[in-house]
Amino acid sequence: MESKLRLAEYKVLLYRLFLGYLFYFIARVLFFAFNTHLFAVDSVWALLKLCYYGMAFDTTALLYINSLFILLSVLPLTVNTRPAFQKGMAILYFVTNLLAYATNFVDIIYYRFSQVRSTKATLDVLADENNKKLLFTHFSEAYWYVIIIFILCAVCWIWLYKRVKLKPAIVTDKKVYFLSSIVSFLLILTLVIGGIRGDFAHSTRPINMVDAYKHITVPNQGDIVLNTPFAVFRTLGTNNYKLQHWVDEAYINTNIKPIKQYSTKPVAKPNVVIIILESMAREYWGSMNRDVNIPGFKSYTPFLDSLSNSSLIFTNAYATGRQSIHAVSSVIAGIPSFQNAFTSSPYAKQKIQSVVSVCDSMGYQTSFFHGAANGSMGFQGFGSILGYQHYYGRTEYNDDKDFDGIWGIWDEHFFPFMARALTDQKQPFMATLFTLSSHDPYQLPEKYKARFKGGPLAIDKCVQYTDNSLRIFFNYAKTQPWFSNTIFVITADHTSQTYYPEYSKQVNRFAVPILFYSANSAYNLKGVRTDLASQMDIYPTVVDLIGYNKPFRSWGRSLVSNQPDEQPKVINSTGNIYQFMQGNYTYLFDGKNFTGIFAVADKGLEKNLMTAQPNAEMQKGMQDCKALIQDYTDRIVNGKLVAK
């Protein structure tokens, strides 16, 4: 019966995969041992914890590498146990595994120079080298001992593999054999998919490099958690940070002004609460559409509309990306994401100047709140990189009776939880809340289904629900001593479903709200603004409002100060095309050539105004677009995200 059910084959498969974990553990310890001075790991127990966290990344890497090996091992071929077949399988196993395993040993040495796990970007740099043979010879001679260690590990791996052999078995009952194989195949396939993703939870996206930082407090320790094959796999086809040189530095400093300095002096340091609303595009807000003249328009945000009457709102604002994690880097650090998320790039680990670092330097308490499973969306990992002192997720909420069953804690419960947590914190504080209930599959708590009927879009009723949750939050916050000296910033991470044709237009697929509110009239946060604004303007605006008077890095502008040398601009990406808005025009740029210039009011990009001889404003707009992208890439790639 054991041969019919193939139990011996599955046991041997598990053993062979276990060998991968064993030798990845050895490689991780060696990586640490050769680079101990670069990591603040103060005990063996701390190192073992990092190795434990690394198993999730090892799982993904090993399953990627061994996918064909696993497939051939579980398919009902009836010849699986024959010596010739097993010999071929051994060749496949070691060719794929040892090639990938070798990259860990490359990083044992290379890490001291790069201080980042090698990724596809490293391969790109190597591809551009003309003296590859010389470099290989030099490193082989200089670090011969690492090659010897790798060979010893490989020999041990092969020896251990051969210690457990699969005995030939004859299939006598093909019906049982094939039926059991199909069931086992489906089960193993499910486990492989879950292992590659990192878990089976609906609320988390596939495990990525940034997730290595959610368990650690010292960013560099994330490189111990990672392994090099994982870093390479996860960045294949994702690194578009290519250095360019279209303009000189003087042009960038004059026209883009990436280093800014303000001189505001508030009477007291205000608390700051930044609320990023999941998917709550500008289309759903009545206050953001009062002058748009959309026939039959209906608002789904009665509370936010009311709050807007006492706030400074921007009705011509745009997101810089299409994903939630794009918004966090843009809103908090002023770093937009274009073809790929900055947070998923190999450059996310570096020191980053942001709202968090600025507030930290001024003595603020800093916290990030997200009601999903800790680590969801990569927020906890990136938050750790930015330097948030506290992270509050579903774990800290610690009451799953308020769990929505898919994403996390319902907004109506998690928002007051944040308010109570802030009451316990020392002022001044800066807190970021990322909401979650207005997310696919767009469900409501049972008690609200009759109350919030929504509209033609599935998301409409969830927008109503989250708007009401904000009402509950503000009603509670008003009773707290910190409320009167708090500045609230509200925006959306990205757009979502559209109903009105106006918001189906290409430019408006990025249309989000931006609102600033404070009960303290001294901050003068009232009015309606129609000038261009962007998520990456929020960071410099907060810096201006809290009175940070030192130089800082930002591609945005303060929305509350008249800085004549800061021209409103918006940049985002539709995929492989940059979309740049400035002055009277919108520009489309593919990274090499401009493919279109449109009137800024032409949100559908219907009439291309590009000619062989563009006017002076168009020429400057194209130059400014290139200058911004050039400086953006240079600062990210060369680690200049902090003002020097």
Side-chain angles (χ1 to χ4, degrees):
M1 181 60 70
E2 181 171 297
S3 62
K4 293 177 183 178
L5 298 178
R6 305 178 66 189
L7 297 181
E9 294 179 54
Y10 300 140
K11 290 176 183 177
V12 171
L13 175 60
L14 288 174
Y15 171 76
R16 291 167 177 174
L17 292 176
F18 164 76
L19 292 179
Y21 285 101
L22 173 63
F23 284 93
Y24 272 58
F25 169 76
I26 293 171
R28 183 172 281 110
V29 173
L30 289 169
F31 174 77
F32 170 74
F34 279 88
N35 297 282
T36 306
H37 62 289
L38 298 175
F39 304 108
V41 178
D42 53 10
S43 68
V44 173
W45 175 245
L47 175 61
L48 290 175
K49 282 207 303 183
L50 295 174
C51 292
Y52 170 75
Y53 296 137
M55 289 180 65
F57 300 88
D58 294 349
T59 298
T60 298
L62 288 168
L63 291 176
Y64 267 133
I65 295 161
N66 291 283
S67 55
L68 180 58
F69 178 82
I70 295 170
L71 178 65
L72 293 175
S73 296
V74 299
L75 282 176
L77 302 176
T78 72
V79 297
N80 303 66
T81 61
R82 293 181 183 177
F85 185 89
Q86 285 297 307
K87 184 176 181 180
M89 291 288 284
I91 294 172
L92 171 64
Y93 178 89
F94 284 111
V95 167
T96 53
N97 276 289
L98 292 182
L99 281 174
Y101 191 57
T103 63
N104 286 311
F105 287 78
V106 171
D107 266 353
I108 285 175
I109 299 302
Y110 188 65
Y111 185 84
R112 66 188 63 174
F113 304 107
S114 65
Q115 295 196 26
V116 65
R117 282 280 187 176
S118 293
T119 62
K120 189 210 176 257
T122 310
L123 301 180
D124 290 340
V125 172
L126 181 61
D128 292 332
E129 289 289 345
N130 296 321
N131 57 340
K132 299 182 185 66
K133 185 176 180 180
L134 181 62
L135 288 172
F136 178 79
T137 301
H138 167 71
F139 279 96
S140 298
E141 292 176 351
Y143 304 107
W144 58 268
Y145 50 90
V146 174
I147 297 175
I148 296 298
I149 295 173
F150 168 73
I151 293 173
L152 289 173
C153 287
V155 169
C156 289
W157 196 339
I158 294 169
W159 182 79
L160 287 170
Y161 181 97
K162 290 182 175 181
R163 293 289 294 173
V164 178
K165 295 182 179 181
L166 194 60
K167 296 179 180 180
I170 299 174
V171 178
T172 56
D173 189 336
K174 291 186 176 181
K175 183 178 180 180
V176 174
Y177 176 86
F178 282 107
L179 285 175
S180 65
S181 294
I182 291 171
V183 173
S184 300
F185 175 81
L186 294 175
L187 176 60
I188 292 170
L189 178 63
T190 302
L191 293 174
V192 168
I193 292 172
I196 289 175
R197 289 189 79 258
D199 63 20
F200 293 93
H202 179 82
S203 63
T204 55
R205 50 116 173 91
I207 189 172
N208 217 317
M209 288 180 67
V210 72
D211 293 303
Y213 302 95
K214 69 183 182 182
H215 299 296
I216 53 95
T217 56
V218 180
N220 272 5
Q221 291 178 357
D223 290 321
I224 301 175
V225 177
L226 290 168
N227 63 73
T228 304
F230 176 91
V232 172
F233 279 123
R234 275 294 190 252
T235 56
L236 284 174
T238 64
N239 181 30
N240 289 308
Y241 294 93
K242 296 189 183 340
L243 294 172
Q244 304 285 356
H245 187 78
W246 293 303
V247 301
D248 58 29
E249 190 172 347
Y251 185 93
I252 292 172
N253 292 336
T254 301
N255 295 277
I256 305 302
K257 291 189 68 67
I259 304 301
K260 296 175 172 60
Q261 186 170 6
Y262 299 140
S263 56
T264 309
K265 295 181 180 179
V267 176
K269 293 179 184 177
N271 303 307
V272 177
V273 175
I274 299 174
I275 301 175
I276 304 175
L277 301 171
E278 172 64 55
S279 301
M280 285 183 64
R282 200 197 313 155
E283 176 175 359
Y284 315 133
W285 293 44
S287 58
M288 298 287 165
N289 290 278
R290 287 168 180 161
D291 298 320
V292 181
N293 299 319
I294 296 176
F297 179 85
K298 181 180 178 181
S299 172
Y300 299 97
T301 56
F303 171 74
L304 287 168
D305 293 344
S306 175
L307 187 67
S308 295
N309 294 331
S310 304
S311 304
L312 175 63
I313 65 173
F314 292 81
T315 61
N316 193 24
Y318 299 87
T320 60
R322 296 186 182 276
Q323 298 178 17
S324 298
I325 194 63
H326 294 179
V328 174
S329 64
S330 187
V331 171
I332 306 302
I335 303 175
S337 292
F338 301 127
Q339 286 88 340
N340 308 111
F342 164 73
T343 53
S344 298
S345 77
Y347 307 107
K349 190 196 71 173
Q350 64 185 284
K351 189 174 182 181
I352 300 170
Q353 203 164 22
S354 66
V355 174
V356 183
S357 66
V358 167
C359 286
D360 185 65
S361 71
M362 297 178 68
Y364 279 68
Q365 293 285 306
T366 57
S367 307
F368 194 99
F369 294 81
H370 184 48
N374 290 36
S376 174
M377 311 300 289
F379 294 157
Q380 188 174 14
F382 187 56
S384 177
I385 292 171
L386 290 178
Y388 279 100
Q389 298 163 14
H390 309 284
Y391 185 92
Y392 297 88
R394 181 179 162 194
T395 299
E396 287 71 25
Y397 187 83
N398 196 30
D399 190 350
D400 270 0
K401 78 175 188 298
D402 299 324
F403 176 50
D404 66 9
I406 295 180
W407 286 107
I409 306 302
W410 291 108
D411 285 351
E412 65 173 309
H413 300 294
F414 196 74
F415 293 2
F417 166 74
M418 180 183 81
R420 293 190 294 271
L422 294 180
T423 299
D424 293 336
Q425 289 188 9
K426 180 182 177 182
Q427 299 185 58
F429 55 73
M430 189 284 289
T432 302
L433 168 65
F434 203 112
T435 74
L436 60 73
S437 292
S438 47
H439 199 297
D440 178 77
Y442 308 121
Q443 59 183 7
L444 294 177
E446 192 64 35
K447 65 180 180 179
Y448 287 109
K449 289 182 178 178
R451 178 176 175 184
F452 299 130
K453 295 295 187 181
L457 300 176
I459 195 175
D460 292 338
K461 61 182 181 294
C462 296
V463 171
Q464 291 176 316
Y465 169 75
T466 295
D467 178 79
N468 184 65
S469 300
L470 285 169
R471 179 185 62 80
I472 295 171
F473 166 75
F474 271 86
N475 284 343
Y476 178 84
K478 286 176 184 177
T479 66
Q480 303 307 303
W482 48 264
F483 181 80
S484 60
N485 192 42
T486 299
I487 293 172
F488 295 89
V489 185
I490 302 178
T491 188
D493 57 345
H494 51 71
T495 60
S496 185
Q497 298 177 319
T498 63
Y499 175 71
Y500 301 109
E502 179 67 21
Y503 284 99
S504 295
K505 295 177 179 178
Q506 182 168 317
V507 172
N508 280 341
R509 294 302 294 123
F510 293 90
V512 296
I514 294 180
L515 175 152
F516 291 85
Y517 168 80
S518 179
N520 190 335
S521 61
Y523 299 115
N524 194 30
L525 296 175
K526 290 187 179 181
V528 179
R529 294 266 295 276
T530 60
D531 47 323
L532 280 175
S534 165
Q535 285 176 336
M536 65 180 181
D537 295 328
I538 292 174
Y539 160 43
T541 304
V542 171
V543 168
D544 196 3
L545 285 167
I546 66 176
Y548 183 76
N549 301 142
K550 298 177 182 178
F552 68 101
R553 183 271 322 148
S554 170
W555 295 291
R557 66 184 177 104
S558 171
L559 297 173
V560 295
S561 296
N562 275 323
Q563 304 287 341
D565 54 350
E566 292 185 353
Q567 187 174 7
K569 56 176 64 70
V570 172
I571 189 167
N572 44 46
S573 174
T574 59
N576 294 318
I577 303 294
Y578 295 99
Q579 192 168 265
F580 180 72
M581 302 169 67
Q582 180 176 272
N584 294 307
Y585 301 102
T586 298
Y587 305 83
L588 300 185
F589 181 55
D590 66 6
K592 294 182 179 179
N593 302 297
F594 285 89
T595 58
I597 302 177
F598 304 83
V600 75
D602 183 5
K603 305 299 185 186
L605 305 182
E606 298 172 357
K607 186 177 180 181
N608 196 337
L609 304 176
M610 193 165 182
T611 63
Q613 293 184 325
N615 63 38
E617 182 183 348
M618 291 177 179
Q619 291 180 33
K620 185 177 186 303
M622 290 190 287
Q623 197 80 327
D624 286 356
C625 176
K626 286 184 172 181
L628 196 159
I629 295 168
Q630 176 180 317
D631 189 68
Y632 167 88
T633 308
D634 172 51
R635 290 185 179 278
I636 287 176
V637 171
N638 292 314
K640 298 189 291 186
L641 293 177
V642 176
K644 300 286 186 172

